Amino acid sequence: MNLNERQQYVLWATVRHYIATAEPVGSKTLVDEYNLSVSPATIRNAMGWLEKAGLLYQPHTSAGRIPSDSGYRIYVDKLIKPDDGISRQVEQALSDRLKLENWAFEAVLRGASQILAALSGYIALITMPQTHTACLRHLQLIQIEPRKIMIVVVIDNYQTQSAVMELPESPEDSLVDAEVVDRELQILSNFLNHHLRGQTLAQLSALDWTELGREFERYAEVLSHWLQDLAVRAQTPGKTQILISGVSEVLRQPEFCELTQVQTLIQLLEEEQDQLLPLIFEPPAPEGSGRRVQVRIGAENPLEPIRTCTLVSATYHRGTVPVGSVGVLGPTRMVYENAIAIVEAAADYLSEALSV
């Protein structure tokens, strides 16, 4: 839709004033507060045109006008840009309060969701990394008693998998010294880390065992079986948890004054996350589109409980692979410049955290 310069400015000012006040906006208000060098009648004409175009509407007769979902869409796509100052504030807050070296990645995500909710004033939503994209960070084999070894696998979101495996009996068992076994397990652990570190769990079963000497044959079969089982489990879709913060704050907004609306929203967030996940964890926009952040406004959301809300989201990555997402959910009367900047900065921070 092509708007002339005055129509763009009137739409921008109307949206901006409505976001700040939650009150319908009249032409005189715009003239008084935005120092427009034209008469209220000229502004009324521009607002009337915007209303006919479906970008503004009157909630009731004789009231001022408020933005429609389409009006917000043009405002987001054409009339604003993310606030760089807010981006820096988010980066600083995350760096100051989160300890990447000492915390498990889940703790980092929980801390990040609380910080985003506090800074934005909206509901913060962060998904845990998808299991099938997780990469091996470290593997260790430990002897716990004769013929029994424990394998511990740490993946790059710092979750662990472990199992106790029993080695097949051998006539030489009684002759094998425990210290020899410990040395063999350390050599084998080094071999596995060298070949498997950085691979996804789904790739673990592709290891070529022929490089190992004959003295490791007794370990190879049982380890190969366990790694194949781990790879299969990694490829099985699991329930992805969404970490949520800031619900109580956003529910104080006037848009959430109806109890039934609040109840359906809470039910979606607490009990129906599987429906919400595809909206948050979307594939990134095509390369060259210039869009890193997805913004779903009002009726663009297919789920009824959030059709009066806006969902702003972006994926965070392991290398070039999107593994999770970060977003904020609030009323369509949202400070979009801030919300987009906050989500983008948080996604960048979490991507960096996964590369540490």
Side-chain angles (χ1 to χ4, degrees):
M1 186 178 295
N2 293 319
L3 307 183
N4 63 34
E5 190 173 336
R6 177 173 293 159
Q7 291 161 350
Q8 288 184 33
Y9 190 80
V10 168
L11 177 61
W12 174 85
T14 303
V15 174
R16 193 174 180 85
H17 189 81
Y18 182 67
I19 287 171
T21 65
E23 296 290 337
V25 185
S27 55
K28 188 173 185 307
T29 299
L30 295 185
V31 171
D32 292 344
E33 297 200 11
Y34 291 89
N35 298 317
L36 299 176
S37 56
V38 293
S39 68
T42 302
I43 299 304
R44 274 197 302 276
N45 288 337
M47 295 180 84
W49 189 94
L50 292 169
E51 184 175 5
K52 286 178 183 176
L55 306 181
L56 301 177
Y57 70 95
Q58 284 184 293
H60 49 82
T61 309
S62 79
R65 291 171 175 87
I66 65 177
S68 67
D69 291 349
S70 299
Y72 282 124
R73 171 51 63 195
I74 289 184
Y75 178 79
V76 168
D77 289 348
K78 305 291 185 184
L79 305 181
I80 61 169
K81 60 181 181 178
D83 188 324
D84 291 339
I86 292 292
S87 294
R88 289 191 291 272
Q89 185 181 346
V90 172
E91 290 166 7
Q92 192 65 53
L94 293 170
S95 298
D96 288 347
R97 300 185 212 173
L98 303 181
K99 307 299 180 186
L100 296 182
E101 300 83 5
N102 304 321
W103 291 11
F105 193 65
E106 181 175 348
V108 171
L109 295 182
R110 290 189 183 280
S113 70
Q114 293 166 2
I115 292 169
L116 295 192
L119 290 177
S120 68
Y122 308 125
I123 299 170
L125 308 163
I126 300 182
T127 66
M128 294 288 289
Q130 301 288 293
T131 306
H132 68 275
T133 62
C135 294
L136 185 138
R137 189 181 185 95
H138 184 73
L139 181 150
Q140 189 68 44
L141 300 170
I142 305 162
Q143 179 180 205
I144 53 176
E145 60 181 74
R147 290 185 47 241
K148 283 190 178 178
I149 61 173
M150 174 179 284
I151 180 169
V152 180
V153 170
V154 182
I155 56 180
D156 56 6
N157 59 9
Y158 295 97
Q159 294 180 347
T160 61
Q161 298 262 5
S162 63
V164 175
M165 296 175 288
E166 191 163 346
L167 299 174
E169 288 190 51
S170 168
E172 293 83 23
D173 281 346
S174 59
L175 304 175
V176 177
D177 185 86
E179 289 186 11
V180 172
V181 174
D182 286 340
R183 279 200 302 274
E184 289 181 346
L185 292 179
Q186 188 57 56
I187 292 170
L188 190 51
S189 295
N190 294 342
F191 170 83
L192 292 170
N193 278 305
H194 174 73
H195 286 277
L196 298 177
R197 185 181 288 120
Q199 293 197 49
T200 66
L201 298 185
Q203 296 172 305
L204 295 187
S205 59
L207 179 65
D208 181 4
W209 295 90
T210 59
E211 291 186 34
L212 279 170
R214 291 196 55 167
E215 66 269 30
F216 295 103
E217 284 181 355
R218 67 196 302 249
Y219 303 106
E221 185 177 351
V222 66
L223 278 171
S224 179
H225 182 272
W226 187 82
L227 289 172
Q228 286 175 3
D229 181 62
L230 181 59
V232 169
R233 280 186 278 139
Q235 290 173 312
T236 304
K239 187 172 182 180
T240 298
Q241 185 181 7
I242 302 176
L243 306 177
I244 299 171
S245 296
V247 175
S248 59
E249 290 300 318
V250 83
L251 293 184
R252 295 194 179 101
Q253 298 286 346
E255 288 85 351
F256 298 101
C257 60
E258 293 184 15
L259 181 59
T260 53
Q261 182 189 9
V262 171
Q263 288 173 332
T264 56
L265 177 60
I266 296 296
Q267 183 176 350
L268 175 67
L269 295 174
E270 291 185 349
E271 302 173 21
E272 299 169 4
Q273 291 190 0
D274 56 329
Q275 294 185 49
L276 192 55
L277 180 63
L279 301 186
I280 304 174
F281 190 51
E282 286 189 296
E287 204 168 321
S289 69
R291 290 188 298 115
R292 292 188 55 212
V293 178
Q294 304 282 344
V295 182
R296 288 180 177 269
I297 301 171
E300 296 172 2
N301 291 297
L303 301 178
E304 186 61 37
I306 58 172
R307 286 177 70 84
T308 58
C309 300
T310 288
L311 175 63
V312 181
S313 63
T315 54
Y316 62 88
H317 295 70
R318 179 185 296 108
T320 59
V321 179
V323 295
S325 59
V326 53
V328 295
L329 179 69
T332 53
R333 188 181 57 83
M334 175 183 280
V335 184
Y336 288 93
E337 301 95 315
N338 291 2
I340 293 169
I342 285 169
V343 166
E344 190 168 32
D348 286 344
Y349 178 86
L350 295 178
S351 297
E352 247 180 75
L354 275 179
S355 69
V356 172

